Amino acid sequence: MNNPLISLIIPCYNAEKTLEKCLISVCGQTYGNLEIIIVDDGSTDGSLQIYTKHQSQDERIKIIKQENGGVSKARNVGLKSATGDYICFVDSDDWVDANYCAKLFQLLTNENADIAIIEASYEDENGQIVFQKPTTTETTFDGRKALSLLLEDTVIQSHPWGKLYKSSLIKDLSFPENLKCFEDYSTLFKIFDQAEKVVRSNDKLYHYIQRDNSLSHDLSPETAYYFYIAIMDVFRFWQGTRKVENQQKIAKNFVKKLLMVLKRILRQTSKEEMKNEKEAIRQSFTLFLKYPAKTIGLEYYFYLRLYYYFPNLYTKLIAKK
């Protein structure tokens, strides 16, 4: 197939301020054989008028409406509806360069890979760069190496967008609908676990717009706890696989994330709030106490043990300062 179908899935919830730019960028792709699936997750604003206007102008657009169930459910519904040989995602508050799909497809087919990755430009609402992500000059990885990099969560990160997947890798998977956020973090490793070859480019063709009111950036105590659940899902997977490399870096990354979540919760709650959640985190530390200081770093080693054995002291000396 010289021009196979790509299913491009866009979850949409109350995106009237950003959807127009998103759809203009998607409909203007230089790769034309697209199935554009917009899943309206119970929007109550003017999103309907925007996507129906574009649908009337572009027959490739398919609209699915559902009651509000969250981005995971929207992505899952989109996946079930997708008929393409390849699948990619774009969030409704972001936008992409015109050659986004073409570059991903070129990367994947040229290297006969299972997943292709491009980079993102991390911007605020005014288009100013807010974050420079670490990159590498390496362009191709076997599945084991790519999975290791994903678990390290630096060079390859766990967001579903900015990637093109062979449909066979992702169609039978689902994003966890019990998580309001960080659902991608606990899902991408399952996809990468099936890949034999992954290819990437440093080209920044995806424009990720960081907004102050997004769930993933407004780390309230409740949101932070969702992150904890996702972290532990990934940790349990890591414990059950023998595929990955760089065990020390991955272990240190898990501990770093857990301590960040813990500190955020403790700083924003009283002693009586979220008691069960705090105890669940403390008990899960038993899984990490086995790692020596040289593996996870002396500072993290100290903090793990301090909170596990003396949680009140940790809260007083570390979390609340």
Side-chain angles (χ1 to χ4, degrees), residues 119-124 127-136 153-155 157 202 204 208 210:
E119 286 300 327
S121 177
Y122 294 83
E123 306 167 3
D124 63 18
Q128 299 298 310
I129 303 298
V130 297
F131 172 66
Q132 294 287 354
K133 176 182 163 296
T135 59
T136 176
D153 200 27
T154 51
V155 172
Q157 293 183 312
N202 284 327
K204 296 180 179 180
Y208 176 81
Q210 184 170 309

Side-chain angles (χ1 to χ4, degrees), residues 108 126 224 234 269 279:
L108 191 145
N126 298 316
V234 179
T269 59
E279 180 59 18

Side-chain angles (χ1 to χ4, degrees), residues 66-305:
Q66 66 177 33
E67 293 184 3
N68 181 244
V71 67
S72 285
K73 185 175 181 180
R75 286 182 179 138
N76 291 338
V77 168
L79 284 171
K80 290 178 181 178
S81 178
T83 62
D85 303 286
Y86 302 95
I87 291 172
C88 69
F89 296 91
V90 174
D91 285 351
S92 60
D93 49 358
D94 301 329
W95 63 280
V96 291
D97 283 6
N99 59 335
Y100 172 66
C101 290
K103 180 65 176 182
L104 284 168
F105 179 70
Q106 179 189 37
L107 284 169
L108 191 145
T109 54
N110 283 355
E111 295 292 339
N112 191 26
D114 300 298
I115 302 172
I117 306 171
I118 54 90
E119 286 300 327
S121 177
Y122 294 83
E123 306 167 3
D124 63 18
E125 296 177 69
N126 298 316
Q128 299 298 310
I129 303 298
V130 297
F131 172 66
Q132 294 287 354
K133 176 182 163 296
T135 59
T136 176
T137 56
E138 293 181 89
T139 58
T140 58
F141 312 94
D142 62 30
R144 179 178 177 179
K145 175 65 173 180
L147 183 59
S148 298
L149 290 172
L150 180 70
L151 288 167
E152 290 178 36
D153 200 27
T154 51
V155 172
I156 298 179
Q157 293 183 312
S158 55
H159 40 64
W161 43 260
K163 302 175 177 70
L164 182 68
Y165 313 89
K166 284 185 177 178
S167 181
S168 58
L169 263 67
I170 191 172
K171 278 285 287 182
D172 294 331
L173 292 177
S174 60
F175 292 85
E177 297 180 13
N178 63 315
L179 297 181
K180 292 183 179 179
C181 54
F182 300 107
E183 73 296 327
D184 44 8
Y185 181 70
S186 62
T187 303
L188 265 287
F189 67 86
K190 298 176 184 177
I191 303 172
F192 273 71
D193 190 37
Q194 303 177 72
E196 294 184 5
K197 190 175 185 180
V198 176
V199 60
R200 63 174 298 281
S201 167
N202 284 327
D203 291 347
K204 296 180 179 180
L205 305 180
Y206 191 99
H207 297 264
Y208 176 81
I209 311 303
Q210 184 170 309
R211 291 177 170 82
D212 293 336
N213 62 349
S214 67
L215 274 176
S216 59
H217 292 107
D218 177 24
L219 266 186
S220 66
E222 293 78 13
T223 303
Y225 191 71
Y226 283 123
F227 192 22
Y228 161 74
I229 295 173
I231 292 168
M232 294 309 299
D233 281 346
V234 179
F235 175 78
R236 284 186 285 270
F237 160 77
W238 176 59
Q239 290 290 282
T241 185
R242 294 293 180 266
K243 290 184 177 181
V244 296
E245 304 169 349
N246 300 328
Q247 299 283 339
Q248 289 188 344
K249 286 185 178 180
I250 294 170
K252 187 174 182 178
N253 180 49
F254 280 124
V255 173
K256 177 182 178 181
K257 282 181 166 59
L258 282 174
L259 289 170
M260 181 273 290
V261 165
L262 175 64
K263 185 177 289 189
R264 183 62 63 100
I265 291 174
L266 291 176
R267 281 182 172 176
Q268 298 187 43
T269 59
S270 68
K271 183 178 181 180
E272 298 303 314
E273 292 176 309
M274 298 182 69
K275 292 180 68 173
N276 291 338
E277 290 85 351
K278 293 170 186 173
E279 180 59 18
I281 295 173
R282 192 183 77 85
Q283 290 298 328
S284 68
F285 277 17
T286 58
L287 299 170
F288 300 91
L289 292 174
K290 64 182 181 181
Y291 294 110
K294 66 179 181 180
T295 295
I296 60 174
L298 183 60
E299 182 180 11
Y300 294 154
Y301 178 87
F302 171 74
Y303 288 158
L304 273 178
R305 280 155 176 75

